[in-house]
Amino acid sequence: MDLSRRHFIETGIGAGLVTSLGACVSAQSVPAASAKPGMPDWHLGYRSAPANGFDPAAMKLAFGKPPADLNGSLYRNGPAQMQYGDDYASHWFDGDGLIHRIAIEDGQAVHQARFAETKKRREEQAAGKFLAPGFGTLGDESFSVEGPDDVNAANTSVLVVNGELLALWEAGSAFAMDAETLQTKGPKTWRNDLKGMPFLAHPKVEPDGRVWNLAVGGEQVGIYRIGKAGQLEDFGMVNIGRAAYIHDWTMTDRHLVILVQPWINESMRPPVVAGFEWQPQHGLQMLIVDKDDFTQQRWAQAPARMFFHTGSGWEDSDGTIKFDVVLYKEPILGVGGGAAEIRGEWAGSAADENGMLTQVVIPPKGDARLIESGIVGEFPQVDPRIRGQKRRLTALTSAPAIDRPGTTAVTVHDWQTGISDSFDFEQSRMVEEFLFVPKTTGSTDAESWLIGTVLNLKAGVTEVCVFDAAHVSDGPVCIWQADYSWPLGFHGTWA
Ligand SMILES: [Fe+2]
């Protein structure tokens, strides 16, 4: 096992950064003029958060009536250090992770946030400039890198296992955080011989609380199986044949499905993104792995597509696997990395740059079929009670804004009827990921609340919105509003 670990440390994305630092120069510099007044209002979403985050502050109820059974915490994560002086972050994926908690109890919502205190953040804060290499950042040669966690931004998602809050990145360890105060505890080690092993930002939690996740290092992929009490039950390895970009994956109740997209890393030099090549001749391949025996594998093939996020999968009685995913015709965002948006620039996007919510159908034998929903969007989410099982609904952000980045609507798509239900905030708000929160009555995915954050551009503040998953087009059930805004993030979880 130690050999495998060393493989990851030495050949993984983080280590690619280690071996090539000699060629590095300082972070991208941009003209100071773009930081001057006159920034578009949507640039609020890409502005740095205060260095100390946000102390707990009550949000005001701006609309509606909070559901009586909605009690818990919405945790979210996202890059929130976008600028030092006149230097802007070179890539959205490289900003330091700001971990939010919106605690909701008895109709009251309280927001707080803290940065994950990583080595990268500590040293860059002390220097007052970007130093670490990253996914889209070359880095400064003064920054020492001995392993992936030295460049860990802990900025992508969050997971709560047995009450422990983890801030997730994808090329290094999860970072343990205090679930109440959001203070950083440090990198999570699942087992001594797995110290520093990557832990993807898209773990999958079974309805009974067991967690599955991947460790990606080139063509080698590690598989974590974690019990609901937080103990590592198993760790195995599979080989996917090429160093594909793997940000997310999916599973059914019996199988893991690892999507090997034809966006291949041919060079591990920083910035990592520059080493990826689009090789559509390979198509989108899928490795299906038996959860009970990782050596039991089969491959399926689909046309070439790029993706970031899946919804979830299930298996029909004849072994047909179905899952949903937002598919792109070619690599997007990862390439440009939102660098222009961080500087307040927006050149627009072509229709074919948008992702389409798609169902992938893998028959027991033969090639996979792609069934497009017609919905352009991102951040697909499903009901956690039935993850891995047959279900009807997927929620996602949708309706790309016309004259700015981001989306304006929340949509729920019903795979059984083919009907979608949407609420469009139109140009006033930027919509982020919405999560299913099961109602305390009922058991179907329609019997859920949807909770998520939106950036209200007119008021210049961030809001937490709740919808009834069965009646999204009726509009929000309630909206809590902060007195301030915080930068757009990536993913969250409800606990
Ligand atoms: Fe993601």
Side-chain angles (χ1 to χ4, degrees):
M1 195 58 68
D2 189 53
L3 265 182
S4 301
R5 186 179 86 87
R6 206 157 54 233
H7 165 86
F8 279 80
I9 305 303
E10 290 173 358
T11 67
I13 286 173
L17 303 171
V18 178
T19 53
S20 339
L21 269 173
C24 290
V25 295
S26 65
Q28 184 176 356
S29 183
V30 296
S34 60
K36 297 258 167 72
M39 282 287 196
D41 58 358
W42 56 258
H43 192 252
L44 261 186
Y46 300 90
R47 255 176 232 169
S48 295
N52 293 323
F54 297 93
D55 290 334
M59 301 179 75
K60 73 170 181 238
L61 185 64
F63 176 81
K65 185 175 174 217
D69 63 346
L70 187 70
N71 293 292
S73 289
L74 171 65
Y75 292 100
R76 279 184 55 78
N77 192 352
Q81 184 72 47
M82 306 299 188
Q83 193 173 357
Y84 281 108
D86 291 338
D87 275 349
Y88 289 86
S90 308
H91 200 291
W92 199 24
F93 296 179
D94 292 336
D96 294 331
L98 182 67
I99 319 304
H100 303 262
R101 179 187 184 209
I102 296 118
I104 297 172
E105 195 173 349
D106 297 332
Q108 311 284 317
V110 175
H111 169 255
Q112 63 180 309
R114 289 283 179 263
F115 279 95
E117 293 298 329
T118 59
K119 168 189 152 91
K120 163 175 155 37
R121 176 152 185 88
R122 280 196 308 272
E123 295 194 11
E124 292 182 348
Q125 281 286 297
K129 60 181 182 178
F130 295 110
L131 296 171
F135 187 75
T137 306
L138 212 44
D140 190 285
E141 59 187 3
S142 68
F143 188 86
S144 71
V145 185
E146 294 175 2
D149 285 337
D150 287 345
V151 295
N152 195 327
N155 65 0
T156 313
S157 190
V158 278
L159 171 69
V160 176
V161 188
N162 195 32
E164 181 172 45
L165 174 65
L166 300 170
L168 308 180
W169 193 46
E170 63 187 12
S173 304
F175 263 68
M177 314 283 293
D178 187 292
E180 297 268 329
T181 66
L182 304 182
Q183 284 190 320
T184 304
K185 296 177 180 172
K188 170 79 177 177
T189 300
W190 297 97
R191 203 170 65 194
N192 285 341
D193 63 314
L194 299 178
K195 191 172 186 213
M197 178 72 78
F199 190 82
L200 221 58
H202 286 283
K204 307 297 173 196
V205 184
E206 291 186 342
D208 71 357
R210 174 175 282 166
V211 179
W212 295 83
N213 202 13
L214 305 182
V216 178
E219 59 188 47
Q220 296 250 49
V221 173
I223 299 171
Y224 295 90
R225 192 183 82 198
I226 297 160
K228 64 181 178 184
Q231 79 286 12
L232 184 73
E233 294 177 334
D234 195 9
F235 184 86
M237 304 288 300
V238 296
N239 190 302
I240 59 168
R242 51 180 70 96
Y245 179 65
I246 295 183
H247 175 76
D248 195 2
W249 57 289
T250 195
M251 72 177 188
T252 71
D253 54 352
R254 292 171 48 207
H255 292 98
L256 314 176
V257 183
I258 303 171
L259 287 74
V260 183
Q261 58 188 325
W263 199 35
I264 314 298
N265 196 330
E266 295 290 3
S267 162
M268 288 290 186
R269 291 171 180 279
V272 175
V273 66
F276 280 93
E277 287 181 10
W278 180 240
Q279 300 175 3
Q281 67 273 20
H282 299 304
L284 170 62
Q285 297 179 307
M286 290 157 285
L287 179 62
I288 300 158
V289 180
D290 191 318
K291 282 178 166 176
D292 293 328
D293 179 356
F294 301 157
T295 67
Q296 296 298 308
Q297 306 172 1
R298 74 180 170 101
W299 283 92
Q301 177 83 42
R305 293 287 188 279
M306 190 269 175
F307 85 106
F308 286 107
H309 299 121
T310 66
S312 187
W314 74 80
E315 225 157 309
D316 287 342
S317 55
D318 68 350
T320 299
I321 291 173
K322 296 176 179 171
F323 68 89
D324 50 353
V325 56
V326 172
L327 293 179
Y328 298 80
K329 293 276 166 39
E330 291 181 16
I332 52 118
L333 187 62
V335 180
E341 289 89 334
I342 292 168
R343 295 191 301 269
E345 298 161 5
W346 171 245
S349 68
D352 61 2
E353 292 177 28
N354 293 322
M356 172 81 69
L357 181 67
T358 303
Q359 186 176 63
V360 179
V361 179
I362 307 174
K365 287 183 179 164
D367 290 345
R369 287 185 297 125
L370 305 183
I371 301 172
E372 294 187 338
S373 68
I375 302 166
V376 167
E378 250 301 352
F379 299 114
Q381 286 290 325
V382 307
D383 182 341
R385 287 172 295 193
I386 45 176
R387 197 176 278 125
Q389 299 167 15
K390 186 165 185 178
R391 74 193 147 78
R392 292 179 65 160
L393 304 182
T394 299
L396 74 166
T397 64
S398 60
I402 295 163
D403 56 356
R404 59 163 171 82
T407 50
T408 65
V410 180
T411 292
V412 167
H413 183 66
D414 187 330
W415 294 102
Q416 190 168 310
T417 63
I419 295 171
S420 296
D421 188 25
S422 285
F423 181 80
D424 198 331
F425 289 99
E426 300 185 339
Q427 302 305 309
S428 69
R429 287 171 173 87
M430 301 178 88
V431 176
E432 302 191 271
E433 177 187 82
F434 271 73
L435 302 171
F436 279 81
V437 178
K439 294 182 179 178
T440 50
T441 55
S443 57
T444 68
D445 45 359
E447 293 163 300
S448 300
W449 304 111
L450 296 175
I451 187 166
T453 43
V454 301
L455 182 54
N456 181 330
L457 298 175
K458 281 192 178 150
V461 298
T462 301
E463 297 170 333
V464 173
C465 293
V466 179
F467 289 87
D468 186 323
H471 304 284
V472 173
S473 53
D474 289 353
V477 171
C478 71
I479 300 175
W480 287 283
Q481 200 172 69
D483 293 333
Y484 47 86
S485 70
W486 58 80
L488 297 170
F490 292 134
H491 302 289
T493 192
W494 175 261

